[in-house]
Amino acid sequence: MIYTVKKYVNFRLPVIIACALAIGTTAGLLFGYYKTDLIWLTAFIPAAAVPIIIATAVFKNFKPLAFIILALIFLYAGALNGILRLDAYGKNNIDVSENKTYSISGTVKEKSAFSSGEYIIVTDVSANGTKLKYDIIVYLGNSYGDFCDNGYKVKFISSLTAFDAFSYGKLDYNAENNIKYRCTVNGGLKSGYRFSLFGEIRSCIRKTLFNNIEYETAAVCYGMLVGETAFIDDNALANFRYGGIAHIFAVSGLHIGIIFGILSFLNKKLRVNKYAGAVLCIFSVFFYAGICGFTVSSVRSAIMCVIAVFSKLIYAKNDGMNSLSAAVIILLLINPFSLFSVGFQLSVCAVGGIFIFSNPITRLLSRIKIPPALLNKTQKTSIKRFLQNINIPKKLASAFTVSLSAQAGTLPVMLASFGYISGAGLLLNVIIVPVLSALFSVIFIFTLLGSAIAPIAPFLLPLATTPLDAVLSFLVGAGFEKSLISGFGAGLFIPLYYLTVLLISDKLNLRLITRIIAVGCSAVLLVLYVLTSVFSPFKGYKIYISAYYGGGDVIIKSSQGTVLIVTDYINSSYISADLNKYYSANLDGIIMLGTSGDILQFYNFETNAKNIYVYSENDYIQPFDKMTVNYETAFTLCGADFEFKDSYTLSVNCGGVNMCVCASDKTTVEKCDLLVSLYEQPSCVCDYKVYFNLSGYKYNVYDNGDLVFTVKDGKVNKR
């Protein structure tokens, strides 16, 4: 007997392989994180073969068998690739102890700025003649030595510190970017000019822009052209993010698509041979990706352009999902760490969202008609005929569809990475992004001309950027932070959300009633998950402990409210992400450990909390615009009792459990149930000692990631 089953999904082999490779890569990194023996991964293959053989014998269909075998091969390849890459990254071929210094030489790959100064990323590095496999990031002091820029050969003496592959429970950002070591140079750096094609072009673009137009405008133009945002004012960049349009600085499909479109148009108008035109297009998009540093998003876009060109040459249909999957496969095989890059996730999810949702949304828009009841009330025949034939303009419908689809695809990634989504994003992506796209085309062409013919740059660039100044004035002063939608967190929200939208899409061949029931069930689960997480109906307290380089925060949450405790080192972006990760956007108060100077860092922190609490003996500071600073020693908040022992030590009693949060190297608290500290505290006796940044202890955030404790019936437990 031969069984047949309804085809519920239109399988695409590249999509299956890409998904299998991504799952395998994730498994490989998890194996590395938990230090699991590779034998368990090898044992998975024969274990998976048994149900496959049984299914093939029953259904007599060998095509699914071939698909599954290929998927398993790539799953295993992804896992093995991830494990081997982790193993290689974890090995240091030089001594990185504190008292060891090296004569280091290499080539500047990138020069940029951060909040406290400048840094360079050096590639092709040698330390005392030993070739290093990875790049290093070098923080430059106020007087570091000779001038250097992209492409320069540099030499200096310094000690090195190695990054770990995992920090704070996730893959380190530097590992994703092939950076293994860091150091600081306060003097003695020697440099020499060395020709670097991409470095020369980036420097030429930067000088052309900054020498001929206002600094703020030049910074935005430079960010749009090469994806470098370090020169953009923090407030201006924040407004782009709050408006949901910061993707204009991530060189991807928008930028490369415009360049590809310009080249295709010129090839057509000039009647260039199709093969020569194809070579020109492919070379140009990869050359531009090189100028932008071969970022993951730019390479993904370039690969998809190559597939589109070849499809046209051989008169084959270019399937968007297949070309996206092919790009993902290539990128993950080259660098499996790319999977955990926010840029990669946003780029892939945005394009995938467009391919998945654009057709259903377009069909829905095409069905929008004037209601018959309204038409019947219209007396004039001419007006009635006009209303009957009214349609949404195709370009407007297309812009709306693409924007909505991309945001639907990236929403969970935005929440998981940044803790919020922009309520104004849909409107701005429909209205502002097309304007910025047109301006990008003009600025791109005029910058090329200005760089090639320097005397005309002072005339061309101000002319090209005048409309951009008007757009920037609007964006910077609009106050988009008020449109942010946050508090949804991540966690199970992500799979539940993607399940819901996948069931809504046309990628599953389901009967209408089945689709309605499935969507309804998943939507109910999604809503219940959010509600139970946000409103905390359970008794007792939950304590969330997070950290970042140099500091950390503690969230105490109960049915009576939410309190945030922050150490003396503040990183507002991490704190915002933590609050949304744990559904704690609504704060009843913020408690700050540290001096008045540390507290001032909170001045521009966006929160709905009205009160910030500090130690009563701290120096008095001017009131905040949005928060009241309360100078206290002991106080009660959200059912918990708090007492400052000094500026850096806080004692907390919640539900009968004594907790101490300490940001100094020696606490005055000798005994408690739960200690959370920046520094080692051997003299304090407690049931749980949790350290923010100290590796090697049983409970530490650096090794384990965020830690969660529960307090109930006077007892504290690790969750």
Side-chain angles (χ1 to χ4, degrees):
M1 177 181 294
I2 298 177
Y3 296 92
T4 59
V5 293
K6 181 181 177 180
K7 190 176 182 181
Y8 288 103
V9 182
N10 297 319
F11 288 103
R12 291 178 170 88
L13 184 58
V15 176
I16 293 173
I17 291 175
C19 291
L21 191 61
I23 294 171
T25 301
T26 304
L29 293 181
L30 287 173
F31 269 59
Y33 178 71
Y34 290 107
K35 298 178 174 58
T36 307
D37 199 304
L38 187 61
I39 191 67
W40 293 104
L41 181 64
T42 307
F44 168 79
I45 299 299
V50 175
I52 295 172
I53 295 171
I54 295 173
T56 304
V58 172
F59 296 113
K60 305 296 184 183
N61 189 345
F62 292 95
K63 186 176 180 180
L65 175 63
F67 276 28
I68 293 172
I69 290 175
L70 274 173
L72 288 174
I73 290 173
F74 275 89
L75 188 148
Y76 187 80
L80 189 60
N81 192 22
I83 290 172
L84 293 177
R85 182 64 181 263
L86 273 179
D87 183 64
Y89 188 84
K91 294 178 179 178
N92 298 322
N93 57 341
I94 58 172
D95 182 10
V96 292
S97 56
E98 291 184 7
N99 57 354
K100 184 74 174 179
T101 59
Y102 288 93
S103 175
I104 300 169
S105 62
T107 304
V108 178
K109 178 181 179 181
E110 178 184 335
K111 184 177 184 180
S112 193
F114 67 108
S115 58
S116 302
E118 292 182 307
Y119 69 87
I120 55 176
I121 295 176
V122 181
T123 190
D124 296 327
V125 184
S126 292
N128 286 357
T130 301
K131 187 76 172 177
L132 304 186
K133 297 179 181 179
Y134 298 94
D135 300 342
I136 64 174
I137 183 168
V138 182
Y139 297 99
L140 303 175
N142 294 329
S143 179
Y144 55 83
D146 294 347
F147 170 82
C148 63
D149 206 337
N150 295 336
Y152 276 58
K153 190 77 174 178
V154 294
K155 187 174 183 179
F156 55 89
I157 296 175
S158 179
S159 59
L160 292 174
T161 302
F163 290 107
D164 295 323
F166 295 98
S167 58
Y168 304 108
K170 59 184 178 181
L171 186 68
D172 193 278
Y173 170 82
N174 294 286
E176 297 171 8
N177 292 278
N178 203 49
I179 299 171
K180 173 65 177 175
Y181 305 98
R182 70 176 182 268
C183 64
T184 301
V185 175
N186 292 308
L189 183 143
K190 302 294 182 182
S191 68
Y193 173 78
R194 180 180 178 184
F195 178 76
S196 168
L197 180 59
F198 294 140
E200 283 289 325
I201 294 174
R202 281 177 70 103
S203 297
C204 184
I205 291 172
R206 187 173 71 242
K207 292 174 183 176
T208 300
L209 290 170
F210 283 90
N211 290 341
N212 294 285
I213 53 180
E214 293 291 331
Y215 183 91
E216 292 79 8
T217 307
V220 172
C221 291
Y222 188 64
M224 291 173 63
L225 291 175
V226 304
E228 175 61 73
T229 60
F231 299 99
I232 302 176
D233 177 73
D234 289 342
N235 290 332
L237 186 59
N239 273 280
F240 277 95
R241 288 172 177 159
Y242 295 156
I245 57 173
H247 57 82
I248 65 168
F249 301 122
V251 178
S252 58
L254 176 67
H255 306 69
I256 289 184
I258 290 173
I259 294 172
F260 185 75
I262 292 173
L263 291 172
S264 299
F265 173 79
L266 292 175
N267 286 339
K268 185 176 180 180
K269 288 296 181 182
L270 299 175
R271 297 183 179 180
V272 178
N273 177 276
K274 67 176 183 179
Y275 295 105
V279 172
L280 176 63
C281 287
I282 292 172
F283 173 79
S284 298
V285 295
F286 272 102
F287 189 82
Y288 181 57
I291 294 173
C292 299
F294 288 113
T295 59
V296 173
S297 56
S298 65
V299 174
R300 190 271 307 158
S301 301
I303 292 172
M304 293 185 68
C305 286
V306 171
I307 294 172
V309 168
F310 275 108
S311 298
K312 188 175 182 180
L313 286 177
I314 63 176
Y315 303 101
K317 181 181 178 181
N318 179 29
D319 183 272
M321 286 299 294
N322 283 343
S323 63
L324 174 62
S325 300
V328 169
I329 293 168
I330 293 170
L331 288 170
L332 291 185
L333 287 176
I334 294 173
N335 182 7
F337 292 171
S338 298
L339 181 64
F340 302 93
S341 163
V342 176
F344 175 88
Q345 293 171 3
L346 288 174
S347 179
V348 171
C349 289
V351 177
I354 293 170
F355 291 146
I356 291 174
F357 302 119
S358 59
N359 286 337
I361 296 174
T362 301
R363 287 197 297 269
L364 181 63
L365 290 176
S366 66
R367 293 173 184 171
I368 296 177
K369 302 292 183 183
I370 303 298
L374 181 60
L375 289 174
N376 293 334
K377 293 180 180 179
T378 306
Q379 301 297 324
K380 291 186 177 181
T381 306
S382 59
I383 297 178
K384 183 180 290 188
R385 188 180 299 113
F386 171 77
L387 292 175
Q388 287 175 331
N389 295 324
I390 194 169
N391 287 306
I392 300 174
K394 287 186 178 179
K395 290 187 177 180
L396 179 60
S398 175
F400 177 81
T401 298
V402 169
S403 174
L404 183 60
S405 300
Q407 290 191 69
T410 59
L411 184 147
V413 180
M414 291 292 293
L415 288 173
S417 303
F418 307 113
Y420 60 80
I421 57 173
S422 172
L426 179 60
L427 183 62
L428 291 180
N429 275 277
V430 172
I431 297 175
I432 299 297
V433 170
V435 175
L436 291 174
S437 300
L439 291 175
F440 170 83
S441 303
V442 176
I443 293 169
F444 176 78
I445 294 171
F446 279 28
T447 302
L448 288 182
L449 292 173
S451 300
I453 311 172
I456 66 173
F459 304 98
L460 285 181
L461 288 174
L463 181 65
T465 56
T466 298
L468 180 62
D469 289 332
V471 175
L472 292 179
S473 297
F474 165 71
L475 292 174
V476 172
F480 293 122
E481 67 275 4
K482 297 177 183 177
S483 72
L484 298 183
I485 302 172
S486 60
F488 290 95
L492 286 177
F493 179 89
I494 294 178
L496 287 173
Y497 171 84
Y498 278 130
L499 174 62
T500 303
V501 294
L502 183 61
L503 290 168
I504 295 172
S505 74
D506 61 352
K507 301 307 176 184
L508 297 181
N509 302 319
L510 302 175
R511 293 166 55 191
L512 180 59
I513 185 64
T514 305
R515 189 185 299 274
I516 292 173
I517 294 173
V519 169
C521 291
S522 61
V524 167
L525 288 173
L526 184 62
V527 171
L528 287 175
Y529 176 75
V530 172
L531 289 176
T532 54
S533 299
V534 171
F535 295 106
S536 298
F538 307 106
K539 294 182 179 180
Y541 293 82
K542 286 184 180 178
I543 301 171
Y544 303 94
I545 303 170
S546 304
Y548 35 87
Y549 288 104
D553 61 78
V554 178
I555 299 171
I556 302 177
K557 190 173 182 182
S558 70
S559 58
Q560 301 181 60
T562 303
V563 179
L564 170 67
I565 304 170
V566 186
T567 64
D568 57 322
Y569 180 84
I570 297 172
N571 187 308
S572 59
S573 61
Y574 279 104
I575 294 174
S576 296
D578 285 340
L579 292 175
N580 287 283
K581 187 193 306 182
Y582 298 117
Y583 301 89
S584 305
N586 296 316
L587 289 175
D588 294 276
I590 300 172
I591 302 173
M592 180 71 217
L593 302 183
T595 64
S596 297
D598 301 319
I599 297 162
L600 283 172
Q601 299 178 66
F602 246 131
Y603 189 82
N604 292 318
F605 183 63
E606 294 296 335
T607 177
N608 59 0
K610 301 300 182 184
N611 290 283
I612 182 170
Y613 296 85
V614 299
Y615 184 43
S616 59
E617 296 186 14
N618 277 6
D619 295 333
Y620 181 79
I621 60 176
Q622 294 296 321
F624 283 22
D625 290 340
K626 300 175 182 178
M627 291 185 286
T628 301
V629 180
N630 300 278
Y631 292 86
E632 303 281 356
T633 300
F635 57 97
T636 299
L637 188 62
C638 299
D641 298 321
F642 299 88
E643 181 182 358
F644 279 106
K645 299 297 184 180
D646 52 52
S647 295
Y648 293 93
T649 307
L650 179 73
S651 178
V652 185
N653 186 296
C654 53
V657 168
N658 293 314
M659 178 174 71
C660 174
V661 183
C662 185
S664 69
D665 56 358
K666 187 175 181 181
T667 179
T668 55
V669 176
E670 297 180 353
K671 185 177 181 181
C672 61
D673 299 309
L674 173 62
L675 170 71
V676 185
S677 179
L678 276 175
Y679 304 95
E680 185 179 13
Q681 306 290 351
S683 62
C684 184
V685 178
C686 55
D687 296 330
Y688 295 97
K689 284 187 178 181
V690 179
Y691 293 107
F692 285 121
N693 298 288
L694 300 181
S695 181
Y697 293 88
K698 183 177 181 180
Y699 300 109
N700 76 90
V701 182
Y702 184 85
D703 290 333
N704 301 300
D706 293 357
L707 297 172
V708 183
F709 291 83
T710 58
V711 174
K712 191 175 181 181
D713 300 327
K715 296 181 180 179
V716 60
N717 293 290
K718 170 78 172 61
R719 200 178 75 172

